[in-house]
Amino acid sequence: LTNSATKAPVANARVIAYPDEGEPVILLSDERGHVDINDALQFKRLLVKQPGYKLLDAPIERMGRLDLFLVPFEARGIYIPFGVLALPDRVKALLDMVAETELNMVTVDIKGDWAYLAWDSPNPIAREIGAFSPEELLSLTDLLRMCDERDIYVVARIVVFKDTILAKAKPEWAVKRADGTLYTDGEGLHWVDPFRQEVRDYMISLALEAAEMGFDEVQFDYVRFPSDGSTKTLEYQKEAVFDNRTALMAEFFRQASEALAPTRAFFSADVFGLVVWMDPERDMGIGQRVDDIAPYVDYLCPMLYPQTLGAGNLDYANPQLHPYEVVFRSVRKTKTRTETDTFGPIEVAA
């Protein structure tokens, strides 16, 4: 495996070998960029999935040496909110803009902040709770086709634990207050309990569907404990103390990473921008630590919006007046804490 631009070997790349029958085998390239595959003809194709490079799909047609060249990839993109999917002409115009500029990526809500799904998922829970959006939306099949025609990398954003539809339909899975009522955040929305395996299984199953549809990347957002208002007395399946919160988050990302590993999709996570500045003894009360999440994702996406930083953060009296410095310093800080590739904030296209 060689970097097509520099001709340098690509080490620690994941090579997924798909047999005619049975489960795929995942291997890692060594420091020379080499992978040895025994009895190669039992496999029909290889996927090479390495962050920072385009996905490479190669058939296996013979025994012997196979030289593969990975094309470096640097994402520059926009965000298409859930509601814009109801405006197909607007989506097409946005995709045309991406194709005609230096941009090359779009992030699209397929499970947005209000928890509706942009596709008619066959998942039994999704059907039971009526998660499919009642609004007529551009089909994700058409969206993916349009992106493919324009050579656009497309990311499926999935809002995870903020799920008012699931919480209302299955209150036993919801975050509750001490009096038994459902917790409501500042937007009037409910959350589900991250400690419940049923909740995690539902979210992972949706991520797998996105990967199978053909999205290049699955991005988890709101993958944390709620933070609005008084949260100390909220009730979960398990006591939400620091050790439990952080252990849960690491376990969830391990499960999701393991499930997505044999698919074609990369895996990423949005985290609070200040998380990258927190020491390992702190999780901001929401369960997010670089140490627990970064090892399991291909890309870590700190939400480095300067307006969300308070006066004095990063030693700036008003961080909004220093957008470049906030993003640059935060990304540089993140890279000292993990080798996982880091994306900064994405511009919103309305």
Side-chain angles (χ1 to χ4, degrees):
L1 303 178
T2 304
N3 182 313
S4 65
T6 66
K7 311 307 178 187
V10 179
N12 296 314
R14 283 166 298 166
V15 178
I16 309 170
Y18 293 89
D20 288 323
E21 296 181 0
E23 296 297 317
V25 175
I26 302 177
L27 305 165
L28 290 178
S29 61
D30 62 22
E31 68 280 357
R32 303 169 299 159
H34 288 191
V35 172
D36 293 321
I37 301 177
N38 296 323
D39 193 14
L41 291 181
Q42 68 176 302
F43 300 100
K44 58 182 180 181
R45 68 186 181 99
L46 299 176
L47 272 186
V48 184
K49 191 164 66 171
Q50 177 70 345
Y53 295 89
K54 290 185 177 182
L55 184 76
L56 189 151
D57 193 337
I60 297 180
E61 299 171 330
R62 59 177 177 80
M63 298 287 286
R65 180 186 174 100
L66 182 63
D67 292 313
L68 300 176
F69 299 92
L70 301 183
V71 178
F73 178 73
E74 183 178 278
R76 299 179 298 277
I78 61 172
Y79 165 51
I80 299 179
F82 192 92
V84 176
L85 292 175
L87 305 169
D89 289 344
R90 177 63 173 156
V91 174
K92 181 179 181 300
L94 290 170
L95 298 182
D96 286 342
M97 179 194 70
V98 170
E100 294 165 3
T101 64
E102 70 276 14
L103 303 177
N104 58 11
M105 180 267 276
V106 294
T107 294
V108 182
D109 280 345
I110 68 167
K111 179 177 184 283
D113 291 37
W114 275 259
Y116 283 111
L117 304 182
W119 79 103
D120 191 8
S121 169
N123 181 281
I125 294 174
R127 292 193 173 279
E128 177 187 346
I129 67 177
F132 182 41
S133 173
E135 191 173 13
E136 188 170 339
L137 305 174
L138 174 69
S139 79
L140 296 185
T141 299
D142 287 343
L143 171 72
L144 289 166
R145 174 184 54 77
M146 294 164 67
C147 289
D148 184 61
E149 291 170 351
R150 293 162 175 78
D151 193 25
I152 296 173
Y153 183 92
V154 58
V155 180
R157 175 178 178 256
I158 294 178
V159 170
V160 179
F161 296 127
K162 182 169 73 169
D163 193 320
T164 199
I165 297 174
L166 184 58
K168 286 181 177 179
K170 291 188 175 293
E172 67 275 17
W173 294 0
V175 178
K176 299 184 184 68
R177 295 202 176 278
D179 62 4
T181 60
L182 299 186
Y183 163 80
T184 303
D185 66 14
E187 296 178 293
L189 300 175
H190 307 306
W191 290 58
V192 287
D193 185 347
F195 288 115
R196 297 201 69 105
Q197 186 63 53
E198 303 97 325
V199 167
R200 303 198 299 273
D201 288 344
Y202 173 59
M203 303 305 170
I204 292 171
S205 72
L206 298 179
L208 286 171
E209 287 182 35
E212 290 164 3
M213 276 188 273
F215 281 91
D216 296 299
E217 180 178 324
V218 175
Q219 181 186 87
F220 280 176
D221 199 0
Y222 285 90
V223 59
R224 60 178 178 83
F225 288 77
S227 60
D228 291 351
S230 176
T231 59
K232 290 185 178 179
T233 60
L234 295 181
E235 295 189 347
Y236 300 88
Q237 187 181 56
K238 194 172 184 178
E239 188 179 7
V241 294
F242 173 83
D243 287 346
N244 290 345
R245 289 192 305 261
T246 54
L248 175 281
M249 209 58 64
E251 174 60 13
F252 176 50
F253 275 97
R254 185 198 65 77
Q255 292 175 358
S257 176
E258 186 176 281
L260 288 166
T263 74
R264 70 182 305 279
F266 289 94
F267 182 31
S268 63
D270 292 332
V271 298
F272 273 5
L274 280 177
V275 163
V276 304
W277 293 95
M278 296 291 108
D279 60 50
E281 287 70 44
R282 301 174 63 190
D283 70 342
M284 299 183 65
I286 58 174
Q288 286 187 349
R289 293 192 306 177
V290 171
D291 313 65
D292 303 316
I293 297 173
Y296 297 108
V297 295
D298 297 302
Y299 299 109
L300 188 69
C301 308
M303 297 182 291
L304 302 172
Y305 310 120
Q307 64 269 30
T308 64
L309 274 63
N313 286 153
L314 307 192
D315 297 324
Y316 297 120
N318 186 352
Q320 293 189 62
L321 300 180
H322 304 273
Y324 176 84
E325 289 83 359
V326 167
V327 174
F328 176 78
R329 288 179 56 193
S330 297
V331 170
R332 188 169 63 177
K333 175 68 173 180
T334 308
K335 289 182 177 296
T336 68
R337 301 188 60 181
T338 177
E339 295 182 359
T340 301
D341 278 11
T342 303
F343 284 169
I346 297 170
E347 292 296 325
V348 175

